[in-house]
Amino acid sequence: MIDINDIVKAQQRIEPYINTTPVLSSSRLNQWLGHEIYFKAECLQKIGAFKARGGCNAVQVLRDMQPNIKRVVANSSGNHAQAVAWAAQQFNLPATIYMPSFASKVKAQATRSYGAQVVLLEQRQAVDAAVEAAAQEAGVYWIPPFNDDAVIAGQGTAAYEALQQCKMPMDAVFAPCGGGGLISGTLVAARHLQPDCKVIAAEPLAADDAFRSFHAGKIQYLDAAPDTLADGAMTLSVGEKTFAHIKHLDDFYVVDEVLIAYWAQWLQHLLKLHVEPTSAMTMGAVCQWLRKQHQPQRVMVILSGGNIDAAMQRKIWQQDYLTQQPSLQV
C-alpha cells in the first residue's frame, strides 16, 4: 500500500507538467440541497482528466528506475490511454496503447494525437492479453490503468491538492471508482490531511464489481464489459493493490443510469463545465449519503474528467432532466 510520502513525491514530480485545477461550487445547488458541495474540477486537467496525474508520475518513475526503457505500453478504454500517451510524449518515449473497439472515438483519436500507436481490439480481455504480451519484450514497460503504486500515488495528488486549496475541514470526500486508483489515492491523502473526513466511493449500478468487492471483503469480477454511461468505470474488477485501500473506505454507493444522466446534465448546467458521466455519477452517491445526515455537511467531490464524444452526448440528453430541480427529497 502507498502512503502519504508517495503522494507528496508524486506531487513534486508532476507539478511542472500538470494543471493546478480549481475547486468550484454552485450557490444554487448548495441552497437546494442544504449542504456545501465543492468540486475539484479535474475535467480542466491536462488531457481532460485526473489520469494525467498518474500517467505523468508513472512514466517518470519508470524512466528513473529503468534506464534501458525503449517503449511504454498501456491498456485503457480512454482517459488512461490519453494520459500515458501524453506523459510519454513529455519525456520523448514511444508509446503503444491497446484499447477496446467500443472505446470513445474522441478518446482514441486524442491518444493518437499525442503520438502514441493505438491498437484496437474487440474484447477487453483481448486488450488485457495483448498488453501483457507486449510487456514481455525487452525494454518495454507496462503502465497499468490503476493497479500500480506510481499510478495510485499520482491520482492521489488530486485530493491532496483539493483539500489544501479549500483550507477548511471537509466532512466527506467522494470520488468515482472504476479500477480504484483515484479512490485509493484519495483515501491516503484524506486520511493524512483530514483524518476525520469520510472517504466514500461511487460506482455504476450496472458495473458494481467494486461495490460488491467492498461488501464481500474480496475481489469480485464482471464477466463482460458492462453497459453504462459511466465509461470511465467499465473495468471488470479492481486490482489487488487498489483493493487493499478500497476495503478501508468509509462507505460505497451505486448509482443507476437515470441518475448518471441526470447529474451529467445538471453539473454541466450549474458549473458550466464539460463533465463526464463518470464524474457526474458521484453526485448520485453524495445525495444518498446526505439523506442520512442530520446536520449540514461540507463535501468535496472529485470531478474526474470531461471527455465526451457526440454519441455519449446524445445518450446523456435523450431525456431532458433540467426540468427536475435537484433535491434530497425522495
Side-chain angles (χ1 to χ4, degrees):
M1 294 175 66
I2 70 159
D3 60 27
I4 193 61
N5 292 322
D6 297 306
I7 293 178
V8 171
K9 290 176 184 176
Q11 180 73 11
Q12 292 168 348
R13 286 190 198 100
I14 69 177
E15 191 170 18
Y17 304 96
I18 63 161
N19 296 332
T20 299
T21 55
V23 174
L24 308 172
S25 65
S26 165
S27 56
R28 278 207 293 169
L29 181 62
N30 290 346
Q31 181 180 10
W32 289 338
L33 299 184
H35 300 274
E36 293 179 51
I37 315 295
Y38 295 89
F39 298 94
K40 177 63 168 168
E42 285 294 290
C43 49
L44 300 176
Q45 187 51 263
K46 299 288 188 181
I47 70 97
F50 77 98
K51 291 281 190 176
R53 296 173 178 272
C56 190
N57 189 51
V59 167
Q60 290 188 77
V61 168
L62 265 179
R63 190 187 60 163
D64 292 344
M65 294 180 62
Q66 306 292 346
N68 68 327
I69 189 168
K70 296 177 181 177
R71 175 179 295 272
V72 294
V73 294
N75 52 321
S76 168
S77 61
N79 285 335
H80 179 67
Q82 294 178 77
V84 173
W86 167 78
Q89 186 181 61
Q90 305 309 302
F91 300 100
N92 299 311
L93 287 173
T96 300
I97 312 297
Y98 298 87
M99 304 180 74
S101 57
F102 54 78
S104 162
K105 290 180 174 57
V106 166
K107 294 178 181 180
Q109 184 55 40
T111 302
R112 292 187 188 96
S113 76
Y114 293 120
Q117 177 188 11
V118 173
V119 178
L120 296 176
L121 298 168
E122 287 300 314
Q123 301 294 328
R124 185 177 289 275
Q125 291 90 335
V127 168
D128 294 345
V131 78
E132 286 193 51
Q136 301 306 310
E137 300 175 27
V140 176
Y141 292 90
W142 176 21
I143 299 178
F146 50 85
N147 200 43
D148 178 89
D149 288 341
V151 170
I152 295 169
Q155 317 305 33
T157 63
Y160 182 76
E161 192 175 277
L163 292 173
Q164 293 182 95
Q165 282 172 299
C166 275
K167 302 185 187 303
M168 63 183 79
M170 293 289 145
D171 295 299
V173 58
F174 284 74
C177 181
L182 177 61
I183 195 66
S184 296
T186 297
L187 179 72
V188 174
R191 287 286 189 264
H192 174 76
L193 293 174
Q194 297 189 18
D196 294 330
C197 176
K198 305 291 186 187
V199 182
I200 302 170
E203 190 175 43
L205 178 61
D208 66 345
D209 60 286
F211 173 82
R212 291 188 288 111
S213 301
F214 173 74
H215 287 287
K218 60 182 180 180
I219 297 175
Q220 305 293 301
Y221 299 86
L222 299 177
D223 295 328
D227 183 12
T228 175
L229 292 171
D231 60 342
M234 294 173 67
T235 47
L236 301 180
S237 73
V238 299
E240 294 287 348
K241 291 179 182 293
T242 55
F243 186 63
H245 295 283
I246 287 168
K247 61 187 180 183
H248 295 292
L249 293 171
D250 294 294
D251 215 337
F252 208 128
Y253 291 91
V254 289
V255 183
D256 66 36
E257 295 300 300
V258 170
L259 279 177
I260 294 174
Y262 176 91
W263 281 109
Q265 292 183 19
W266 269 106
L267 289 186
Q268 288 184 36
H269 177 65
L270 291 168
L271 300 177
K272 313 306 179 192
L273 292 174
H274 212 49
V275 178
E276 286 186 28
T278 307
S279 297
M281 167 186 72
T282 309
M283 273 304 297
V286 170
C287 289
Q288 291 180 60
W289 182 75
L290 288 177
R291 289 187 186 105
K292 300 178 181 180
Q293 309 308 310
H294 304 294
Q295 300 292 331
Q297 301 292 308
R298 188 179 291 128
V299 174
M300 175 68 68
V301 177
I302 309 294
L303 292 180
S304 53
N307 295 310
I308 313 175
D309 63 14
M312 180 61 75
Q313 284 285 29
R314 288 192 292 271
K315 290 179 182 179
I316 292 169
W317 290 94
Q318 280 182 341
Q319 181 175 341
D320 183 2
Y321 292 112
L322 297 184
T323 58
Q324 305 171 30
Q325 178 180 303
S327 169
L328 293 180
Q329 301 301 316
V330 179

